[in-house]
Amino acid sequence: MASERDIFEISGPLHLTTIDWTDVDHRRSVAACMVQGVYIMQRDRQENRHGPAALAPPWWKFFSFDLHSQLIDDADSSIFGAIFKFNPKPDPSTDYALSTNATPSHIVAFRGTLTKGDAFARDLQLDLHCVKNILHQSSRFETAVQAVRNLVASGNQNIWLTGHSLGSAMAMLAGKSMARNGVFLESHLFNSPYVSPPIENIKNKKVKHGIRIASSFVTAGLAVAVKAKKNVQQRNIAPDNSFSNLASWVPCLYVNPRDHICSEYIGYFQHRRKMEGIGARGVERLASQHSFSGLLMDAIGKESHEPLHVLPSANLTVNSTPARDLKEAHGIHQWWRCDQQLESRTYRS
C-alpha cells in the first residue's frame, strides 16, 4: 500500500487555498511540492501505478502546473527530475491560474535519494560522487543541465530550479553553471549536502567558533601556498573571478540544524560574517572558496574539484522546529508545513 505521505490529499499543503506568488512561504511550499511530485513519479513507476492509480499528478496539478517532460537517468532508467509548465486555466473557484511577473513559467525539479526500489544503487553511487565533488561529471547531471540550457535557450522567462538532498546538489550545480554564463535562475534548494566534519553539532559556541577561525586561517594559508607553487592555468582550483561571477546569484537555501547532511551551511555563512567583524574578511573570502582536502590533493599533484558548498551569496532559511529524528529533519515535508519555526537571512559576498 502507498504511504500516506505520498498522498497529496492527506499530506499536501491543503491550507494553501490561494497562491500569492510574491509570498516567500507560498513560493517555498510550491517548490517543495514539485520535488515531492518527482519522488512520487519514480515511486509510481516502481509500483506500476499508472493512470488514475498514479499518486504523483496532484502534487503539481493542484497549483495549475502540467508535466512538461520527465528527466530520465540513462544508467538505470529512473525518473530523477521533471520539468513542470505553468498552465493558467481560468477557474472562478481558485486563484492559482492568476499569473503575475512573480509566477514561474517552468519549474525544473530534482528528487533526492530513494532508499527503496531499483533506483537506490544509482542514487547511492551519485551520493558518493557528491562526497568526492565529482557529481558534475555524472551522466545524470549532464542530462539535467542540458535540459535547463535548452529551456533557457527556448526563450522561456522566469524559470525556477528546485531539488532536495541529492537533487538539491543537482539543482545547485545547474544553477552555478547558468550563473557563470550570466543567467540567474531562481533556485529553491532543500537540505543540500555539505560535506564536512559536523562542527555545527558542537554545543560549546567558543570551541566551535575557535575551530572555524583556525580552519579558515589554515585553509587560506594553504591556498596561498598552492597558488605560489603553481600557475593558475596549471592547477584545478577555481580562481577568484569564478567565485565572484556567482555573487549575483542568490539561491534560496533551506536547512535544518538537526540535519547533519546540510547543517554546516549555517556555520559557513554565519562564520563569514563573524570573520568580517574581526577584520579578517580577506582570509575568510579566500578560505570559503576552497576545501582543505581539495587543496591538499592539489598540493600533491592530484586532481581536485570545486567543493559543492562554495556559494558567495544565498538566502538562508533555517528551520529550528524540533525534529524527532534525522529522517524528519532531512525530510521534504517540513518545507510546506505551516507550523514551522523558520528564520531567513540573506548573505551576499
Side-chain angles (χ1 to χ4, degrees):
M1 290 185 61
S3 166
E4 289 186 354
R5 295 170 67 84
D6 290 354
I7 302 173
F8 184 85
E9 291 75 12
I10 297 176
S11 298
L14 300 178
H15 62 281
L16 294 179
T17 54
T18 59
I19 286 291
D20 177 1
W21 290 105
T22 64
D23 186 294
V24 293
D25 293 328
H26 290 194
R27 295 163 79 86
R28 181 191 68 251
S29 297
V30 171
C33 285
M34 297 298 137
V35 176
Q36 178 71 345
V38 179
Y39 272 114
I40 300 174
M41 255 194 285
Q42 173 58 21
R43 292 193 187 111
D44 283 345
R45 173 183 172 273
Q46 292 176 173
E47 300 296 328
N48 291 315
R49 296 190 295 246
H50 306 288
L55 299 179
W59 289 93
W60 58 82
K61 288 187 175 181
F62 188 78
F63 306 106
S64 291
F65 281 86
D66 290 337
L67 176 61
H68 177 275
S69 57
Q70 297 175 336
L71 301 179
I72 308 297
D73 192 313
D74 62 4
D76 65 354
S77 299
S78 66
I79 302 168
F80 72 88
I83 300 175
F84 301 100
K85 181 180 181 180
F86 186 64
N87 187 13
K89 295 175 180 142
D91 183 346
S93 67
T94 178
D95 288 335
Y96 290 130
L98 298 179
S99 179
T100 70
N101 290 335
T103 309
S105 66
H106 295 77
I107 298 179
V108 186
F110 306 102
R111 67 166 175 83
T113 302
L114 285 171
T115 57
K116 296 180 180 179
D118 55 11
F120 175 64
R122 174 62 168 165
D123 289 351
L124 181 60
Q125 179 187 49
L126 294 175
D127 287 336
L128 294 176
H129 280 26
C130 274
V131 174
K132 298 177 181 179
N133 292 318
I134 57 172
L135 184 61
H136 63 284
Q137 296 180 346
S138 67
S139 60
R140 180 181 290 190
F141 173 70
E142 185 55 39
T143 299
V145 75
Q146 192 58 55
V148 175
R149 288 171 183 155
N150 292 343
L151 201 58
V152 170
S154 65
N156 291 291
Q157 302 295 315
N158 205 6
I159 299 166
W160 287 12
L161 299 178
T162 185
H164 174 251
S165 194
L166 173 62
S168 180
M170 198 79 64
M172 183 183 293
L173 285 171
K176 284 183 178 182
S177 176
M178 300 308 297
R180 288 191 170 108
N181 288 286
V183 179
F184 306 107
L185 302 179
E186 179 165 335
S187 302
H188 296 267
L189 312 175
F190 301 99
N191 303 82
S192 191
Y194 188 119
V195 180
S196 168
I199 300 174
E200 192 61 28
N201 292 342
I202 298 174
K203 303 301 181 183
N204 189 308
K205 292 184 178 180
K206 289 184 178 180
V207 172
K208 180 163 58 177
H209 188 41
I211 291 174
R212 291 196 188 282
I213 290 177
S215 176
S216 291
F217 276 97
V218 171
T219 302
L222 185 56
V224 171
V226 170
K227 185 174 181 178
K229 180 181 177 182
K230 294 183 178 181
N231 184 279
V232 171
Q233 285 75 25
Q234 295 175 322
R235 61 188 179 88
N236 195 26
I237 300 174
D240 184 64
N241 65 333
S242 177
F243 187 75
S244 300
N245 288 344
L246 293 176
S248 296
W249 181 53
V250 188
C252 297
L253 196 60
Y254 305 95
V255 304
N256 190 308
R258 293 166 182 80
D259 175 14
H260 65 263
I261 295 173
C262 67
S263 62
E264 283 304 306
Y265 276 107
I266 301 172
Y268 175 76
F269 285 106
Q270 289 181 348
H271 178 62
R272 278 167 46 177
R273 187 150 292 183
K274 289 177 181 178
M275 289 291 281
E276 291 175 9
I278 64 173
R281 184 177 186 276
V283 171
E284 182 54 26
R285 182 177 175 81
L286 184 57
S288 63
Q289 299 176 52
H290 307 292
S291 70
F292 184 76
S293 59
L295 287 168
L296 280 180
M297 293 292 288
D298 196 74
I300 62 176
K302 299 291 186 179
E303 185 180 18
S304 63
H305 302 276
E306 178 185 273
L308 176 67
H309 66 257
V310 169
L311 278 176
S313 309
N315 182 280
L316 182 68
T317 297
V318 178
N319 184 4
S320 57
T321 308
R324 290 171 296 182
D325 50 30
L326 174 61
K327 182 177 181 181
E328 183 173 272
H330 190 65
I332 188 68
H333 288 71
Q334 65 185 300
W335 300 114
W336 62 72
R337 292 178 57 180
C338 58
D339 59 349
Q340 303 298 283
Q341 301 170 25
L342 306 180
E343 182 177 351
S344 298
R345 187 168 187 174
T346 299
Y347 296 88
R348 294 182 183 273
S349 176

